[in-house]
Amino acid sequence: MNFFQALFMGLVQALTEYLPVSSSAHIRIIGDLMIGKDPGAAFTAIIQLGTELAVILYYRRDIIRILGSWFGSLFGKEGKDLKSRLGAHNPDTQMGWFIIIGTMPILIAGLLFKDAIETTLRNLWITVTVLIVFGILLWVFDARAKQVKTMNQMTWKDALFFGIGQMLALIPGVSRSGGTITFGRAMGYTREAAVRVSFLMAIPAVFGAGILESVSAVKDVNACSAGDAAACTAIGAFPGWIPTIAATFVAFFVGYVVIIGFLKFVSTFSYKAFAIYRIGLAVVVALLLIAGVLPAIDPSVAAAA
């Protein structure tokens, strides 16, 4: 992957990360069409840091308030009893705990199934399947579920269900925002509340993955430079640090604009258009797979499996 291809991937990341259409699927598909191979999980995770920085900037006041309340309550500011420390008297403290609960499923699954996530689950036939399945689920739940619940009505069980939706996004094609929004709408949350939970809950999970992948990429790049063939296979089409950092900046700046536009969109319209797009994309990818234009599994990824 050259410098300009990396920048284009950063743009794709920014345009698709917040929408329920799966940024990882788009990176995987466009990578194959543009450079002939999967850009790899490491590059994908690192440029996601850019879009998450945009989320932090946009929700900075909420994040500061939640963190302040969470730490304050934890150390007895709201009361010395256990219920007070867990946020019984402060919704912001509760939200801090809910974000932790919602992060646990993707953290556990990510550690347990890391190899499968980076190899087997990047099969494009799996991507096609989950694009369709979650497109239909999003369409149905958004059309039929009530919009009655707000973030202030969240329970620990709801947080866990949101977390399961986010966990499923480890499969390219599900979409992190798509999974959490679909589960949120199924539980009766408003479109705006489901999006806000999706954005806030993604911060620790995506940043954690990005940091871990960055550390791993540094090791693999150094090993590859020293002649380690296995390390070279592991980094795949990784373009180097300067193009990757530049792509991350593109993801940040464009991503911030996309956040504003997406929030305005869901305050007026349903998710039907995104569901139709997912299904249409799945059909196009399936046709490209059948025609042999796209390989179901990138050769370098298959070699690492």
Side-chain angles (χ1 to χ4, degrees):
M1 195 188 321
N2 62 39
F3 184 83
F4 293 104
Q5 290 170 335
L7 291 184
F8 184 74
M9 286 298 187
L11 179 62
V12 171
Q13 168 66 25
L15 294 174
T16 58
E17 170 66 18
Y18 313 110
L19 310 182
V21 297
S22 181
S23 61
S24 59
H26 281 77
I27 293 293
R28 166 76 168 90
I29 294 163
I30 294 174
D32 263 325
L33 291 174
M34 186 169 67
I35 62 177
K37 61 169 60 177
D38 185 350
F43 176 78
T44 302
I46 293 169
I47 62 174
Q48 281 180 337
L49 291 176
T51 45
E52 288 312 304
L53 283 171
V55 171
I56 290 176
L57 178 62
Y58 188 86
Y59 285 108
R60 61 191 180 279
R61 293 184 180 87
D62 290 349
I63 294 169
I64 292 171
R65 191 180 66 251
I66 290 170
L67 284 174
S69 297
W70 187 83
F71 279 107
S73 296
L74 186 65
F75 290 104
K77 184 177 179 180
E78 303 289 336
K80 302 298 183 181
D81 59 295
L82 180 60
K83 288 185 177 180
S84 296
R85 293 179 189 272
L86 294 178
H89 311 299
N90 193 321
D92 288 327
T93 300
Q94 289 183 339
M95 182 54 59
W97 285 112
F98 292 155
I99 290 173
I100 292 173
I101 292 172
T103 302
M104 295 309 295
I106 194 171
L107 174 63
I108 295 171
L111 292 174
L112 290 177
F113 305 107
K114 183 177 185 297
D115 291 340
I117 292 165
E118 295 182 352
T119 54
T120 307
L121 293 180
R122 297 183 77 82
N123 186 311
L124 280 181
W125 280 115
I126 296 177
T127 300
V128 166
T129 301
V130 295
L131 277 170
I132 294 174
V133 170
F134 274 83
I136 294 172
L137 290 176
L138 177 62
W139 193 340
V140 171
F141 287 134
D142 188 48
R144 297 186 179 183
K146 296 179 180 180
Q147 293 196 74
V148 294
K149 298 178 75 172
T150 66
M151 291 180 66
N152 290 335
Q153 295 171 287
M154 189 182 296
T155 66
W156 70 268
K157 290 182 180 180
D158 290 353
L160 183 59
F161 277 114
F162 271 116
I164 293 172
Q166 180 171 245
M167 176 194 70
L168 293 174
L170 291 171
I171 306 171
V174 171
S175 168
R176 184 198 50 73
S177 62
T180 50
I181 289 171
T182 298
F183 275 55
R185 291 294 294 118
M187 292 185 286
Y189 281 84
T190 66
R191 294 187 181 106
E192 294 87 343
V195 169
R196 190 178 175 200
V197 172
S198 174
F199 285 177
L200 292 174
M201 198 167 282
I203 293 172
V206 175
F207 258 93
I211 292 170
L212 289 175
E213 289 291 354
S214 296
V215 172
S216 178
V218 169
K219 294 179 180 178
D220 288 336
V221 168
N222 291 338
C224 181
S225 300
D228 188 331
C232 292
T233 299
I235 63 175
F238 190 75
W241 286 107
I242 292 178
T244 300
I245 292 171
T248 303
F249 273 104
V250 169
F252 168 73
F253 288 113
V254 178
Y256 189 84
V257 177
V258 174
I259 291 173
I260 297 172
F262 183 44
L263 290 173
K264 289 182 178 179
F265 182 91
V266 298
S267 66
T268 307
F269 303 101
S270 72
Y271 292 110
K272 179 179 178 180
F274 299 110
I276 294 173
Y277 175 84
R278 290 177 63 97
I279 296 170
L281 177 63
V283 171
V284 170
V285 174
L287 292 175
L288 292 174
L289 286 168
I290 292 171
V293 176
L294 286 175
I297 302 177
D298 182 84
S300 63
V301 174

